[in-house]
Amino acid sequence: MRSQKHLFSLPEEITYLNCATMSAQLKSVEKIGIENLLKKSTPYVIEGKHFFEERAILKQRFAQLIDCTDDESVSIIPSVSYGIANAVKNIPFEKGDEIIVLDEQFPSNFYAWKHLETTEGVSLKTVAAPPVASGRGSLWNEKLLNTINSKTKVVSIPQVHWADGTLFNLKAIREKTNEVGAYLIIDGTQSVGAMEFSIQKIQPDALICAGYKWLMGGYGLGMAYYGARFYDGTPIENNWMNHEGSEDFTHLAKYNENFKPKSARYDMGESSNFILTPMLSEGIRQLNEWSPKAIQEYCKIISQAPIQQLKKLGYFIEEESFRANHLFGIYLSEEKKLQSIKDRLQAEKIFVSYRGNAIRVSPNVYNTEADLMKLVECFF
């Protein structure tokens, strides 16, 4: 794979290494967004079938992306918090149950679980991050696995940590949760689209993804997968589209209280969104064409030498086997001054993020090794 910068509208003077905050927009996604925005000026061209056609295509493309053989297990959601809320509503909790999350996990995958301590009498267990040192990622995975026990009801974690890209062994975690009958809920926002994810191999109970980062969509729409344990659940909202028979506009007032099969019941209201839905669909189409495996390999190729250079300068970056290639954190030694590095990055028009104690770098297919070497120069 080669640099795909020509498919984006990034100015030459900008070095954008911040996809973990928001992806640069594909020209094709921009074009589709504008075309569909203009359709509202001629609403008479929008027919009943258009409420369902693009939704179906989006679900098929997302199912392909995550190696899911059944697109009826896929839902369209507005946000990660919405997707998590559907899961929370449909898990039968008992007093004394334990829910496991990670240290400094993203808030949208924390607050809903934390609230259950008050409402359901459960206990939230946070697996603390080990000190920044060699073997940190391996030790964090080990601590997580050791925390899962017979009281564990839910493990709700990301595939890679949003702050520094630490990678978690989902296969091993799934095996351990299966042993104790616990639910495995994955926030794939910072991984799905940029690295391989297989529903068939991992078999999570739910996978929740925001759409405006690595899925290349617009802000305000995301995707979710809900497995068999959620097929008969009750969604957090009743809307006209998540009930059976909604395709027949002439019978909408002949109310059908039955939800659509499997995970279609968890679709958000107005999921036909005539602007955001086709934009996200186009973004995922392009990802499937490239393949997440190729994207991950490309990010590895362009970041390998720059990361080695940063390590030689005394900065800590997690070992390759326990971090993503598309998202990694740079930890400073005590004598290094963060503000001076920030100032240099700003002066050079290099865009990264600062999360916790890490400088978060998240390249994508529009970047090159030269971009990352330019970043390295700011750390001398």
Side-chain angles (χ1 to χ4, degrees):
M1 188 176 193
R2 298 180 179 179
S3 170
Q4 302 295 308
K5 190 173 181 178
H6 61 285
L7 299 179
F8 298 82
S9 298
L10 288 167
E12 286 301 320
E13 68 273 15
I14 296 295
T15 303
Y16 192 71
L17 296 166
N18 201 20
C19 190
T21 293
M22 184 176 295
S23 70
Q25 187 157 266
L26 282 157
K27 293 176 182 177
S28 62
V29 171
E30 177 186 274
K31 181 175 181 289
I32 283 176
I34 292 171
E35 288 174 352
N36 284 278
L37 173 65
L38 293 174
K39 281 184 181 178
K40 187 64 165 58
S41 299
T42 55
Y44 44 84
V45 305
I46 300 173
E47 303 174 17
K49 64 180 182 180
H50 296 142
F51 284 81
F52 300 94
E53 289 178 343
E54 195 62 49
R55 282 170 19 109
I57 294 170
L58 172 56
K59 289 187 176 191
Q60 291 163 9
R61 289 174 176 174
F62 183 68
Q64 178 186 345
L65 186 72
I66 61 173
D67 190 26
C68 173
T69 58
D70 182 8
D71 57 28
E72 285 191 338
S73 296
V74 168
S75 305
I76 301 172
I77 58 174
S79 63
V80 169
S81 57
Y82 185 103
I84 294 294
N86 270 320
V88 169
K89 183 178 176 65
N90 290 284
I91 297 174
F93 291 100
E94 297 179 2
K95 189 174 182 179
D97 285 342
E98 294 181 355
I99 299 168
I100 296 175
V101 297
L102 297 174
D103 196 15
E104 295 188 347
Q105 192 161 285
F106 194 77
S108 293
N109 192 18
F110 173 83
Y111 288 130
W113 305 115
K114 180 67 175 176
H115 184 65
L116 292 173
E117 288 189 318
T118 301
T119 60
E120 302 293 334
V122 304
S123 178
L124 190 69
K125 301 293 183 182
T126 300
V127 182
V132 175
S134 178
R136 178 176 179 269
S138 177
L139 181 57
W140 205 354
N141 271 267
E142 184 181 339
K143 289 178 67 176
L144 173 57
L145 285 169
N146 290 338
T147 304
I148 300 170
N149 61 74
S150 59
K151 293 182 179 180
T152 304
K153 190 57 168 283
V154 177
V155 176
S156 187
I157 60 170
Q159 183 178 15
V160 299
H161 200 282
W162 74 298
D164 62 9
T166 302
L167 180 64
F168 295 92
N169 186 341
L170 296 184
K171 279 190 177 182
I173 295 164
R174 175 75 279 187
E175 289 175 5
K176 190 72 179 286
T177 55
N178 280 339
E179 289 175 9
V180 299
Y183 288 75
L184 178 59
I185 313 296
I186 302 298
D187 179 358
T189 297
Q190 294 292 10
S191 56
V192 174
M195 66 190 313
E196 287 184 286
F197 188 98
S198 172
I199 291 295
Q200 295 193 73
K201 292 178 181 178
I202 304 300
Q203 297 186 355
D205 294 293
L207 171 69
I208 317 294
C209 303
Y212 65 97
K213 301 176 187 283
W214 305 97
L215 293 184
M216 298 284 175
Y219 190 80
L221 203 68
M223 300 300 295
Y225 159 88
Y226 295 100
R229 294 172 94 173
F230 291 103
Y231 281 174
D232 297 318
T234 303
I236 59 174
E237 66 167 303
N238 271 278
N239 59 69
W240 69 274
M241 296 188 77
N242 67 356
H243 286 259
E244 290 182 349
S246 58
E247 291 82 0
D248 186 351
F249 281 64
T250 63
H251 288 83
L252 287 181
K254 294 181 180 179
Y255 307 119
N256 187 334
E257 295 187 23
N258 295 322
F259 289 112
K260 285 188 173 176
K262 299 182 179 178
S263 302
R265 67 188 57 218
Y266 300 112
D267 284 335
M268 62 180 277
E270 301 186 14
S271 55
S272 303
N273 190 306
F274 298 112
I275 302 169
L276 293 179
T277 295
M279 289 174 69
L280 183 55
S281 182
E282 168 59 19
I284 295 175
R285 182 205 64 76
Q286 181 63 78
L287 294 174
N288 282 325
E289 183 178 310
W290 287 329
S291 88
K293 182 178 181 180
I295 294 169
Q296 191 67 193
E297 182 62 24
Y298 179 76
C299 290
K300 177 180 179 178
I301 290 169
I302 66 171
S303 64
Q304 230 170 9
I307 285 174
Q308 288 305 313
Q309 185 66 41
L310 286 165
K311 286 185 173 183
K312 287 180 182 178
L313 293 171
Y315 299 95
F316 176 81
I317 298 172
E318 183 55 66
E319 298 166 20
E320 186 178 312
S321 56
F322 284 97
R323 64 163 167 80
N325 293 310
H326 67 283
L327 194 167
F328 58 90
I330 304 171
Y331 287 91
L332 281 60
S333 57
E334 290 184 7
E335 65 270 18
K336 299 290 184 181
K337 299 297 183 183
L338 176 60
Q339 190 56 53
S340 63
I341 293 174
K342 281 186 175 182
D343 291 342
R344 291 192 66 185
L345 291 171
Q346 184 175 7
E348 294 295 330
K349 298 182 180 179
I350 300 173
F351 289 82
V352 294
S353 289
Y354 306 91
R355 298 292 184 265
N357 296 319
I359 298 174
R360 186 181 70 183
V361 181
S362 48
N364 207 328
V365 296
Y366 41 73
N367 293 118
T368 62
E369 183 178 294
D371 290 336
L372 286 154
M373 282 302 188
K374 185 178 179 182
L375 169 85
V376 171
E377 291 297 320
C378 297
F379 285 78
F380 278 91

